[in-house]
Amino acid sequence: YDGKKDRDSANQVVSFGLLAYLAIGLVGMLIIAACVEPVFLKMLKIPDSLNDMARYTLYLAALGFFLLMTQTYLLSIPRALHRFDISNKIEILFQVGGTGAVVGLLLLGYGLLEIVVARIVANVICILAAHQSIKSVMPYYKFTPRIDKKIAKDISSYSLVSFAGRLGTSTTSYANTFIAGSLLGTSAVTLFTVPFLLVERIMNISSRLSMIIFPIASELGAQSRHEELIVIYMKMTKYVFIINLFLTLMFCLFSWEILALWMGKEFANESAFILVTVAVGYLFNTTTSLPSLVNDGIGSPRVTSIFAFVHGFVAVAFVTGLGMMFGLNGIAIGYGASSILMAIVFNVYVHSKVIGVSWLKIIVASYFRGGLFSAAVVVVFIVLKVNDVLPGYSILSLMTEVIVISLLYSIFVYSFVLEENDKSRITAYAGRAISRAGKG
């Protein structure tokens, strides 16, 4: 609506969303508060001497839930209008300030209750800053309780379908751990979960970059500027994939070393293969992120939600079947195989039926060069490793190898992946940085 200059409808959308999140926050707050005495205090078996503090802390946590819902919604408005810089600055200040306040209170000898109060105060300040930011991106914004029935219906149906898709995605994420524990016991949960969470946390670095495409797709789709959207989409696909490919390459080449350094050699012997398999599967999952966001941005969340549910069922079937046959490695293979299969099916369908550009064209333009270079690096690395050319395991050798491969990868990306205008920007930025350093 903002892209179509329909300010009245844009106001209604923001107002309806705010009312919805306030309602969700209020209901959640009341449920949490109602469960404090009969559920939480009994379930947690808190010592009598700490009962009062626990009670007050839990009631404040209920209020915190309400504030967090409000904060989350308000911070989404600048992002929806391409102003990630505003929401990120507020978030960073909130996180750093909140953490600093906690550290300060602990150093001064205060306890849990004071820390929770400080977090509540930080939430309120963040909400005020986020609300103020709406005026900077939507100068015309004015809250209105008058919501057109069609707008309310469209938002509600879109949200419910999207939420259903999130449930499907959650099934895929958590089924592996549940199945590992059910089939192989609690020790298997740790052996699988540690590599999985490591990959998930690191690979999510690029998720913020991917999110940029959502408001762009929404605005350009509303303005029927599909060709411009495709140009931006293909460029972002190339850059996001090359980042994720590099991270996957690091996981594959140094899986044992990473886990040995973090969890010990025994753990690395058990989980190195799992880390490689999960990383490859997760790489294929990341290829669905941008097309999903474009698909949702132009108003078709039903497609992504259906595929998310199908992916969940396929993942459960693969992980269970292969886990029963091959144990923990089978669970990892099941996750990787289901991710690869569903990523291929999803990309082929969405690119041809929704986005309007064949996935083969995306592969050639965005994946091929990076994939070929990474495969060459893997082959050379294996040959050197097998012939004992590379030094044995040590932190120094690991850091040296990572730095060398990172430099080679950076040179390759600059030479063969970046577009000319982006090369010019990087060169100009580097020149300014060197100039400032020289003056300093």
Side-chain angles (χ1 to χ4, degrees):
Y1 289 125
D2 183 80
K4 292 192 290 186
K5 309 301 180 188
D6 185 351
R7 294 181 171 183
D8 181 55
S9 295
N11 271 327
Q12 290 185 54
V13 169
V14 175
S15 300
F16 182 80
L18 180 58
L19 289 170
Y21 265 76
L22 288 174
I24 293 168
L26 183 61
V27 171
M29 178 178 71
L30 293 174
I31 290 172
I32 295 169
C35 291
V36 170
E37 296 287 347
V39 180
F40 297 141
L41 290 178
K42 290 182 179 179
M43 183 177 67
L44 295 174
K45 297 179 181 177
I46 297 163
D48 292 338
S49 60
L50 298 176
N51 245 334
D52 286 341
M53 185 186 71
R55 183 179 292 106
Y56 296 141
T57 301
L58 287 165
Y59 281 128
L60 284 171
L63 175 60
F65 178 83
F66 173 79
L67 294 173
L68 184 62
M69 288 295 101
T70 308
Q71 173 189 314
T72 300
Y73 177 73
L74 292 175
L75 285 173
S76 73
I77 304 302
R79 295 187 191 117
L81 296 168
H82 317 287
R83 295 305 304 271
F84 286 80
D85 57 323
I86 292 175
S87 58
N88 287 346
K89 283 174 185 174
I90 295 171
E91 253 187 313
I92 289 167
L93 287 171
F94 166 68
Q95 293 294 343
V96 173
T99 304
V102 169
V103 173
L105 287 168
L106 290 172
L107 288 173
L108 292 170
Y110 290 102
L112 177 64
L113 189 59
E114 290 80 8
I115 287 171
V116 174
V117 170
R119 296 295 295 184
I120 294 290
V121 171
N123 275 123
V124 172
I125 294 171
C126 187
I127 286 169
L128 293 173
H131 186 267
Q132 188 61 33
S133 73
I134 296 177
K135 282 292 184 182
S136 65
V137 296
M138 289 178 68
Y140 58 85
Y141 170 68
K142 186 178 180 181
F143 177 79
T144 173
R146 181 188 58 79
I147 312 296
D148 183 78
K149 285 184 179 180
K150 184 179 184 307
I151 288 178
K153 182 181 177 183
D154 288 346
I155 294 174
S156 299
S157 61
Y158 184 99
S159 300
L160 287 171
V161 172
S162 297
F163 180 70
R166 291 287 181 92
L167 292 178
T169 303
S170 297
T171 301
T172 307
S173 297
Y174 295 111
N176 313 297
T177 304
F178 178 77
I179 293 168
S182 301
L183 294 178
L184 306 172
T186 53
S187 60
V189 173
T190 305
L191 291 169
F192 182 88
T193 302
V194 169
F196 182 84
L197 288 179
L198 176 64
V199 171
E200 186 178 54
R201 295 292 187 272
I202 299 297
M203 296 286 271
N204 276 342
I205 289 171
S206 66
S207 64
R208 286 286 178 120
L209 180 59
S210 299
M211 280 299 298
I212 295 170
I213 197 73
F214 182 80
I216 293 172
S218 180
E219 183 174 332
L220 295 183
Q223 297 172 348
S224 301
R225 293 158 62 190
H226 192 70
E227 304 241 341
E228 290 177 55
L229 175 59
I230 293 299
V231 171
I232 295 170
Y233 170 72
M234 292 190 70
K235 182 175 181 176
M236 284 191 66
T237 298
K238 181 165 58 175
Y239 288 175
V240 170
F241 179 76
I242 209 70
I243 293 170
N244 290 327
L245 185 62
F246 171 75
L247 296 172
T248 305
L249 181 65
M250 294 294 104
F251 282 129
C252 291
L253 295 182
F254 304 111
S255 60
W256 189 90
E257 289 83 354
I258 291 168
L259 292 172
L261 185 64
W262 184 22
M263 301 294 292
K265 294 181 180 180
E266 249 182 78
F267 190 94
N269 291 335
E270 296 279 350
S271 290
F273 175 79
I274 295 170
L275 180 56
V276 173
T277 312
V278 167
V280 172
Y282 208 91
L283 174 66
F284 274 81
N285 276 342
T286 62
T287 65
T288 66
S289 179
L290 279 168
S292 294
L293 290 166
V294 170
N295 177 79
D296 292 354
I298 59 180
S300 305
R302 191 178 303 276
V303 174
T304 48
S305 293
I306 290 171
F307 269 95
F309 264 103
V310 174
H311 189 177
F313 285 116
V314 171
V316 169
F318 274 51
V319 169
T320 303
L322 291 170
M324 292 173 70
M325 289 189 285
F326 304 110
L328 194 57
N329 287 342
I331 289 173
I333 293 169
Y335 169 80
S338 62
S339 297
I340 292 169
L341 173 63
M342 290 310 300
I344 292 172
V345 173
F346 177 81
N347 276 302
V348 169
Y349 180 86
V350 169
H351 282 92
S352 62
K353 300 294 184 181
V354 180
I355 298 177
V357 55
S358 76
W359 195 43
L360 180 61
K361 184 177 180 180
I362 299 292
I363 291 172
V364 173
S366 303
Y367 302 166
F368 182 72
R369 288 183 180 181
L372 195 63
F373 178 78
S374 297
V377 170
V378 170
V379 170
V380 171
F381 186 85
I382 291 172
V383 169
L384 294 176
K385 204 79 170 173
V386 168
N387 291 284
D388 294 322
V389 175
L390 297 175
Y393 168 69
S394 71
I395 295 176
L396 181 61
S397 64
L398 174 61
M399 290 177 63
T400 304
E401 289 166 9
V402 167
I403 290 169
V404 169
I405 292 174
S406 299
L407 286 172
L408 289 173
Y409 203 87
S410 299
I411 293 167
F412 164 76
V413 169
Y414 184 85
S415 303
F416 300 103
V417 176
L418 290 180
E419 296 180 7
E420 289 303 322
N421 58 339
D422 294 318
K423 288 182 185 179
S424 300
R425 288 195 189 98
I426 291 173
T427 304
Y429 179 81
R432 287 195 299 271
I434 292 169
S435 176
R436 281 197 298 268
K439 290 177 183 178

